[in-house]
Amino acid sequence: MTSGNGKPAYWKPEEETLARTALEALQLDRLKKTVGRVFDAVPFYRKKFEDAKVKPDDVRGLADLARLPFTTGADLRSIYPTGMLAVPLDEAMRLHTSSGTTGKPKALFFSRRDVDNAAELCARSMVATGVTRQDIFQNMMTYGLFTGAFVMHYGAEKIGALVIPAGPGNTERQLMLMQDFRTTTIHITPSFALYFADFLEKKGLDPRKELNLKRAFVGAEPYTEATRRKIEEGLGLRVFNSYGLSEMNGPGVAFECQEQAGMHLWEDHYVMEIINPETGQALPDGESGELVLTTLLREAMPIIRYRTRDITSIVAAPCACGRTHRRIQRITGRADDMLIVRGVNIYPQQIERVLMSVPKVGRNYLITLDGLDEMTVKVELSEFGFDGQLEHVVELQNQIAAQLRAEILIKPKIDLVPPGTLPISEGKAKRVIDNRKL
Ligand SMILES: [Zn+2]
């Protein structure tokens, strides 16, 4: 690891700066092995391949990936609990599950090597943001069946940073830990980060003077660039965008470097594709669509062409940091979160982006859909800079409605409410209530 001499720090430079041709050759070699293994060891995949009339030998180049069948979240639920294991159960060392909305979750198994690789990728990711063994890492994500906290925990330990496994919630205790142990680095959801910033503001505590925070890893929910700036301002640190999903080991699939310009997706461990979520057809670099991932080194549970449902695009241009792994843009929505209102496809994040660009508006909002496609956006006024006069409220409501119309093509009803009146969340925020009877 190099650092402190002005050069970008790498965890393992030979892996992170591998020439594209060598990286793609490595991907192909690992892809062939993965495809062969799942065909031999996982009846679920053998059948899928047979149904699609493809054999492992058909994969001769990376482009042949497109011939293989997709794996969906529904597939993972259908083979619950152990139907996709590629090793005997006694070689599995850890179990995580995905956060399922209804019914059975997805069970995800890790072998010893999978646990180590997951930590390795998190160490690589954290070093890319400037973390060293001198850092104090307060992990404010949920420890439990969810992968979010554990994988980063082990990554930070690999680097040799001091890890504080704080978990989420309990803002007073979080603050005490930050003050007493001079925390430099936090791992947090965007909604909790915004909530925490509000909490500091209410306490009249200036994080730049009274805390030692340098950076936050923010992930687990999509958020906008404007939200990033609000968190950076409110907590006095730099926010690095983190992407991962339990199906792919958890965090550390893709991560921002010091350039903060898209997340390097670690292509020696995953092959990425962007597809049109409706047709399944591949889209060219730069176009927005659903991210599809294939694992290259997972041992216990390899997954072929997983439909993540996350909407993003590939940044193919080289990054100034010298890493050769291509980047993805921040996630702009979930294919599943897409709302169809009066025939228009709308992602809640589009609404958030507009709201966060209005200075007199606070950080909390709620979208409600009623009757036949009537949309109301409730949003809190900012605690500062608004006099509350009725004509000013109406003016601001009209301004927001017009800006939203320009972004989402329909004009919702805007309901400005006093600061602190919408339900708050210390975990994942619920932003949409759909009461429509369609
Ligand atoms: Zn970079």
Side-chain angles (χ1 to χ4, degrees):
M1 194 192 317
T2 51
S3 65
N5 55 6
K7 284 187 183 163
Y10 300 114
W11 172 244
K12 286 185 182 154
E14 68 283 4
E15 292 175 357
E16 291 161 65
T17 62
L18 196 60
R20 287 295 313 172
T21 44
L23 183 51
E24 282 164 23
L26 184 69
Q27 283 190 305
L28 180 59
D29 177 57
R30 290 177 173 174
L31 176 65
K32 285 179 175 171
K33 285 181 182 140
T34 299
V35 168
R37 279 192 60 226
V38 298
F39 188 81
D40 291 339
V42 186
F44 164 85
Y45 272 120
R46 179 183 285 264
K47 177 163 189 325
K48 253 193 189 269
F49 281 33
E50 283 168 356
D51 290 347
K53 300 190 168 43
V54 284
K55 289 191 197 68
D57 287 349
D58 295 332
V59 178
R60 296 190 196 96
L62 286 173
D64 293 323
L65 190 59
R67 304 172 63 178
L68 302 179
F70 290 117
T71 308
T72 64
D75 286 333
L76 293 191
R77 288 198 176 86
S78 75
I79 51 76
Y80 178 92
T82 57
M84 254 174 72
L85 264 181
V87 296
L89 189 58
D90 65 356
E91 279 180 41
M93 202 172 87
R94 197 198 291 168
L95 171 74
H96 281 290
T97 65
S98 72
S99 39
T101 39
T102 51
K104 296 289 190 189
K106 302 163 203 160
L108 304 152
F109 293 91
F110 291 62
S111 69
R112 182 174 298 279
R113 198 177 78 176
D114 295 333
V115 165
D116 191 60
N117 277 336
E120 185 70 17
L121 288 187
C122 285
R124 183 195 282 183
S125 300
M126 283 189 258
V127 168
T129 71
V131 171
T132 69
R133 55 178 295 128
Q134 272 83 44
D135 278 292
I136 315 293
F137 175 58
Q138 189 163 326
N139 198 353
M140 299 162 75
M141 287 286 189
T142 305
Y143 282 80
L145 284 168
F146 171 58
T147 46
F150 275 104
V151 178
M152 290 288 274
H153 179 113
Y154 288 109
E157 283 189 352
K158 224 178 222 288
I159 297 168
L162 175 67
V163 181
I164 307 175
N170 203 337
T171 39
E172 289 285 354
R173 190 183 59 196
Q174 301 279 4
L175 177 60
M176 182 196 77
L177 292 166
M178 273 176 205
Q179 288 175 315
D180 293 348
F181 300 99
R182 307 296 293 153
T183 301
T184 62
T185 306
I186 59 174
H187 180 209
I188 191 166
T189 61
S191 46
F192 191 29
L194 290 171
Y195 176 76
F196 200 73
D198 265 343
F199 167 78
L200 293 185
E201 195 173 274
K202 283 193 188 112
K203 273 195 129 47
L205 194 147
D206 180 355
R208 282 168 192 81
K209 293 195 183 116
E210 295 173 64
L211 297 176
N212 194 32
L213 296 174
K214 292 193 173 84
R215 62 185 80 77
F217 307 135
V218 177
E221 300 162 7
Y223 64 106
T224 63
E225 199 54 34
T227 298
R228 184 217 295 263
R229 285 193 292 275
K230 281 203 171 182
I231 297 171
E232 289 190 328
E233 251 170 62
L235 296 179
L237 43 63
R238 290 177 80 196
V239 166
F240 293 95
N241 202 353
S242 147
Y243 177 72
L245 59 167
S246 299
E247 296 86 327
M248 301 281 136
N249 286 350
V253 173
F255 225 88
E256 272 186 335
C257 63
Q258 302 256 27
E259 303 296 322
Q260 289 178 301
M263 299 176 278
H264 289 281
L265 193 137
W266 303 125
E267 294 182 272
D268 50 345
H269 286 250
Y270 305 98
V271 184
M272 63 171 149
E273 302 167 84
I274 300 287
I275 62 162
N276 175 329
E278 310 279 315
T279 65
Q281 292 302 305
L283 294 173
D285 286 355
E287 263 186 53
S288 206
E290 182 182 345
L291 178 67
V292 172
L293 292 172
T294 298
T295 66
L296 294 177
L297 286 175
R298 287 194 103 225
E299 203 172 51
M301 201 168 153
I303 302 180
I304 306 292
R305 300 194 84 201
Y306 186 64
R307 302 276 305 250
T308 66
R309 310 304 282 154
D310 290 320
I311 306 293
T312 183
S313 59
I314 295 177
V315 184
C319 184
C321 73
R323 289 176 182 81
T324 50
H325 301 243
R326 288 178 300 166
R327 288 166 289 164
I328 54 170
Q329 293 286 12
R330 65 171 59 254
I331 305 300
T332 55
R334 297 264 310 155
D336 307 322
D337 286 348
M338 191 178 78
L339 303 167
I340 302 179
V341 183
R342 294 178 215 163
V344 181
N345 297 351
I346 298 169
Y347 293 104
Q349 289 75 25
Q350 291 176 282
I351 295 171
E352 178 173 332
R353 194 155 59 227
V354 169
L355 296 178
M356 295 294 156
S357 71
V358 180
K360 286 169 185 165
V361 151
R363 288 156 184 163
N364 224 350
Y365 67 95
L366 185 66
I367 301 161
T368 313
L369 295 160
D370 291 291
L372 293 167
D373 276 359
E374 275 129 52
M375 181 189 276
T376 306
V377 179
K378 269 192 188 181
V379 57
E380 287 183 3
L381 283 163
S382 165
E383 209 141 339
F384 303 98
F386 197 78
D387 58 18
Q389 279 188 41
L390 186 63
E391 68 260 40
H392 293 163
V393 172
V394 173
E395 201 178 299
L396 185 57
Q397 280 178 173
N398 290 340
Q399 183 206 329
I400 296 170
Q403 276 181 255
L404 279 174
R405 193 196 177 118
E407 171 73 29
I408 60 175
L409 309 175
I410 63 162
K411 198 169 175 179
K413 181 172 174 283
I414 305 299
D415 197 355
L416 291 170
V417 299
T421 50
L422 289 177
I424 46 155
S425 152
E426 294 194 359
K428 286 202 179 196
K430 184 160 176 57
R431 300 297 197 187
V432 181
I433 297 176
D434 196 341
N435 298 319
R436 285 178 294 183
K437 313 231 175 347
L438 293 178

